[in-house]
Amino acid sequence: MTDLFTHAGAGRQAETILLDYQCTLVANGADRVLWRACYGRSLPYTDWIAQEVYRAWLLPLLAGRRVILITARPEIYEDATLARIRAELGGWQPDEWHFNRWAMVPPACKRRILHERIYPRHGGPDRTAYLALESNAATRAMYRREGIHALRVPEAEPWSALPLIPEA
């Protein structure tokens, strides 16, 4: 396996983290499918949000970088989601956040957010060192097509440092 952390001179530090929510910041995100199968029609979705468990080990690694939460979660759950993050992660909030206002699938939603909101404000990948932490394989592929290095966070053993962005 390639060592993501110790390649001297083989990469650069990310300035901006594009942080996926479900299954990246949320450690038990895969359990959502089972929860929906059991309770999806009888309980409000906010009951699921109240059960989400976060990967707190990510927070120290994000320090000193701009963190942009990008999620395909519907915008109607923005307030409940941000309140849960704040309550569970000691008041932490991402620097900015973008929820799905178009009912689009994750890759299309996140690509639209990149082009309509993030690139105009922060520049494209030719100007800004982005690192996408993303659980969805199709969305990681979209990020790669955009010229953004994208990785899935480990399920078992946490990272001790963020991976470097490989030099082109």
Side-chain angles (χ1 to χ4, degrees):
M1 180 170 132
T2 303
D3 183 346
L4 298 172
F5 308 106
T6 60
H7 283 75
R12 59 190 169 132
Q13 292 289 327
E15 299 167 15
T16 300
I17 305 300
L18 304 175
L19 181 63
D20 171 47
Y21 184 71
Q22 197 69 40
C23 297
T24 299
L25 183 57
V26 174
N28 65 333
D31 296 342
R32 183 181 63 136
V33 173
L34 181 59
W35 183 90
R36 286 187 118 165
C38 293
Y39 307 109
R41 298 266 186 229
S42 61
L43 294 175
Y45 191 70
T46 52
D47 282 13
W48 165 251
I49 293 170
Q51 297 177 44
E52 291 176 326
V53 175
Y54 298 104
R55 287 189 171 93
W57 63 262
L58 270 174
L59 295 187
L61 306 184
L62 302 175
R65 294 172 174 83
R66 178 186 305 120
V67 178
I68 303 174
L69 181 75
I70 303 179
T71 180
R73 176 168 282 175
E75 191 175 46
I76 62 169
Y77 300 111
E78 180 177 317
D79 291 341
T81 301
L82 293 171
R84 175 77 175 163
I85 292 170
R86 188 172 35 257
E88 293 298 311
L89 294 177
W92 181 85
Q93 293 278 261
D95 297 299
E96 65 184 75
W97 48 85
H98 302 282
F99 285 71
N100 190 348
R101 55 171 68 169
W102 309 283
M104 298 172 88
V105 297
C109 169
K110 293 179 182 190
R111 184 175 187 281
R112 186 169 180 177
I113 289 168
L114 283 174
H115 286 272
E116 291 183 7
R117 299 185 184 167
I118 294 171
Y119 292 164
R121 184 171 182 184
H122 304 290
D126 58 325
R127 287 189 31 219
T128 302
Y130 292 106
L131 174 64
L133 302 180
E134 175 60 53
S135 63
N136 182 293
T139 304
R140 287 194 307 273
M142 177 279 296
Y143 279 129
R144 283 191 291 275
R145 287 190 300 275
E146 290 288 324
I148 295 172
H149 190 58
L151 298 168
R152 183 179 182 104
V153 298
E155 295 291 326
E157 190 171 324
W159 288 331
S160 59
L162 283 179
L164 297 175
I165 300 170
E167 295 296 337

